[in-house]
Amino acid sequence: MKVSEVLHMPALEGCHVIAGETGIDREILHVNMMDAPDIARFLKPQELLVTTAYHVKDQPELLLELVEAMNAQGCAALGIKTKRFLQKIPPEVIKLADELGFPIIELPSSTSLGDIVNQTLSNILDKKTNELRLAIDTHKRFSQHIMSGKGLHKLLKSLADMLHVPVALLDQYANPIAASDPKLTLNHLAKGIYVKGGNTVPEASRYYSFSTVPDRRTYSVFPVFTHEKRAGSLIVFSPIHKEDHSSQLTIEQAANVISFELIKENALKQYSRRVKNEFFLNFTEGVFSSQEEIINRAKEFSLENNAPYFCAIGKVVTKGFSSYTQTQIETDQIYEHIEEELIKFSLSTHLFTRGDQCILLFKVDGSAKENHDYVISSLKLIQDNVKDRFGRCISFGVSNLSRNLLNVRKGYKEAQDALETGWRTGEEGFIQSYRTKDVMELLRVVPEEDLKEFYNNTLNQLAGEDETLLDTLFVHLETHSQISETAKRLFVHRNTVVYRLEKCEELLGGKLSDAETTMQIRLALRIKTMLGL
């Protein structure tokens, strides 16, 4: 109850405010009756103290300290029977109460303090009962609304009608989830304040408010939680005063019902994601028995076989020493955010997850070059967004164009290879496009012992002979087996080249005219250069 409402109770008939009248809108949640000298330290915020002032009858100036202490603790008001022990309130006390806006009520001598306490508490309990009844009825109304399948938009419309102001439901990044009016949006400034407020306001806060000067509007923000995390907030496009308990209860009940609806929707999304991820895993691992099965199953996820695709694989850079579970939770949150942002892209894009990686399939049309540039620019936007929202870096490997869905298996491997190539550079936050490996890059993948074994087996006894034989063999192969050109480059006679080549064939045990032999020799000579043998 407010102090102004208490004044109209029958038990307080004949009382009046003798000081601090500007504070009569203070709320009373508790009532106390005490005449102890150290009473101030036992009082609570929003408490009304009624007293005979017996403990200050000989030292009225102590009232000054009591008023200061009660105001500092956020008490509601002080009621005094002035005709019992204390005949007059000191002028300095009245002056202080007026300055503080702290109400001092002169109580009637005809009513006992017990009656005042009992009647005040009874009225407060009646109000609380009515509020709880309102909360239960409101919760039932909103619950039935959701259970009937009307959805969040209709629920918010109903809430807006009850409050007579527009409302919207946003996620924690200011993206709209639902609103009482589809055209209802936050301006750029309000979005920035909302996101910042969600990161700085304590989790225990029931709600907070902020105002923006350009549109001269005040917004009240009520957090909505799902499984102990803030999933978003209800935005009321109007100030909600702390004394307006009925509106607060109505909004809080709506927030409770919305949280259950969001949990249900999230569970359905998780199930859909799991099914979609299992399909992509089985597809890339070659589990399906036929191409027809792949094409038919892909239709369930709106994947067309005849459309061309770019495949991109992303991985968040791990920082610090967070536990695996915590790291995976944060990574999943980032990938869920990326999935929500994909609807803003002009290209149809599908997201899959596999362990700590996310896979993006961009369905494209037109020239490969133009679409490749668009894919790269889209991935850069995703990187900037993740950096801005989460303070994390994400790197991508991008495949060549896959002409249809069946070729995406190859594109997935290309994107994986491009991502690994990027990691080997030691950079963070890169976008690495796939390029075909040359012979030297392929050889670097093979263990060094195997390379040495191949080199020794191929060149056989030639590896231990004079280096001039190897040099001659190398130049001969580089000149496409032209003896005259070989002699010219080595500055030797043509017959010398012929002799050396015959010697090489003798030691190798094979003819240099054999294509298989020359291919093995070429690889062996590349290995020699790479390993410095």
Side-chain angles (χ1 to χ4, degrees), residues 209-480:
S209 300
F210 66 88
S211 301
T212 52
V213 175
D215 57 0
R216 297 180 178 274
R217 196 159 205 170
T218 298
Y219 304 88
S220 299
V221 182
F222 290 77
V224 177
F225 294 93
T226 57
H227 192 57
E228 299 183 352
K229 79 170 185 177
R230 181 172 294 182
S233 298
L234 266 175
I235 310 296
V236 181
F237 286 62
S238 175
I240 301 295
H241 301 288
K242 63 179 182 179
E243 299 85 5
D244 190 357
H245 296 296
S246 61
S247 294
Q248 290 182 40
L249 281 170
T250 300
I251 297 169
E252 287 173 359
Q253 296 311 310
N256 289 336
V257 174
I258 288 171
S259 68
F260 288 117
E261 179 67 8
L262 292 179
I263 290 173
K264 183 192 76 174
E265 290 184 358
N266 185 61
L268 292 174
K269 286 181 181 178
Q270 292 295 339
Y271 173 77
S272 298
R273 289 191 187 108
R274 182 173 62 81
V275 172
K276 186 169 65 171
N277 292 335
E278 285 182 357
F279 160 77
F280 193 79
L281 174 64
N282 293 334
F283 168 52
T284 54
E285 293 295 326
V287 174
F288 296 120
S289 58
S290 65
Q291 293 183 357
E292 289 75 18
E293 184 180 7
I294 295 173
I295 294 171
N296 291 331
R297 289 183 180 272
K299 290 179 181 178
E300 300 178 26
F301 310 103
S302 302
L303 291 168
E304 301 175 16
N305 179 53
N306 294 327
Y309 295 90
F310 276 102
C311 179
I313 299 180
K315 184 175 181 180
V316 177
V317 178
T318 304
K319 295 274 188 180
F321 299 94
S322 300
S323 66
Y324 174 80
T325 302
Q326 184 62 32
T327 300
Q328 193 62 46
I329 290 173
E330 293 176 358
T331 302
D332 290 342
Q333 290 176 349
I334 293 173
Y335 293 161
E336 288 176 12
H337 176 67
I338 292 175
E339 187 173 24
E340 293 170 357
E341 292 294 306
L342 293 180
I343 60 175
K344 300 177 182 179
F345 294 171
S346 59
L347 294 180
S348 175
T349 309
H350 302 267
L351 183 142
F352 307 88
T353 58
R354 189 169 180 176
D356 58 353
Q357 295 180 344
C358 69
I359 300 99
L360 298 171
L361 284 187
F362 294 87
K363 188 177 80 171
V364 299
D365 51 17
S367 72
K369 177 67 169 61
E370 291 178 357
N371 285 300
H372 181 268
D373 292 343
Y374 181 82
V375 168
I376 297 300
S377 63
S378 299
L379 295 177
K380 287 180 179 178
L381 286 176
I382 291 175
Q383 286 181 328
D384 294 341
N385 198 284
V386 170
K387 185 70 173 179
D388 181 54
R389 298 290 190 189
F390 302 94
R392 304 288 292 275
C393 286
I394 182 169
S395 301
F396 288 99
V398 185
S399 73
N400 291 325
L401 182 66
S402 300
R403 294 300 175 184
N404 54 49
L405 179 64
L406 296 176
N407 287 336
V408 167
R409 285 181 60 186
K410 178 183 177 184
Y412 171 77
K413 294 178 180 178
E414 290 176 350
Q416 186 73 50
D417 187 77
L419 183 64
E420 292 175 359
T421 300
W423 283 123
R424 285 197 292 268
T425 64
E427 297 181 7
E428 292 182 355
F430 59 82
I431 299 176
Q432 178 69 48
S433 295
Y434 176 81
R435 62 183 179 85
T436 305
K437 288 184 172 66
D438 59 22
V439 174
M440 296 299 284
E441 287 178 312
L442 289 172
L443 291 176
R444 288 190 183 98
V445 179
V446 181
E448 186 172 328
E449 292 90 10
D450 294 338
L451 293 176
K452 288 180 178 179
E453 183 180 356
F454 178 84
Y455 171 76
N456 292 325
N457 290 338
T458 301
L459 296 183
N460 202 355
Q461 297 180 7
L462 185 64
E465 291 291 326
D466 189 353
E467 282 290 326
T468 56
L469 292 180
L470 281 176
D471 292 341
T472 302
L473 183 59
F474 175 78
V475 175
H476 178 66
L477 293 174
E478 290 296 312
T479 59
H480 305 289

Side-chain angles (χ1 to χ4, degrees), residues 129-192:
T129 301
N130 291 334
E131 287 179 354
L132 290 173
R133 187 177 293 111
L134 172 65
I136 293 172
D137 292 342
T138 303
H139 192 276
K140 285 182 178 178
R141 176 177 176 179
F142 288 141
S143 296
Q144 291 172 354
H145 191 102
I146 289 295
M147 292 177 67
S148 63
K150 295 180 179 179
L152 291 176
H153 291 280
K154 292 291 185 180
L155 186 150
L156 294 183
K157 180 67 170 63
S158 178
L159 176 62
D161 292 340
M162 295 173 68
L163 299 175
H164 306 292
V165 291
V167 294
L169 178 64
L170 307 181
D171 67 12
Q172 55 186 327
Y173 307 110
N175 296 315
I177 299 175
S180 58
D181 183 350
K183 299 179 181 178
L184 195 64
T185 57
L186 287 181
N187 60 48
H188 182 73
L189 176 61
K191 284 184 178 181

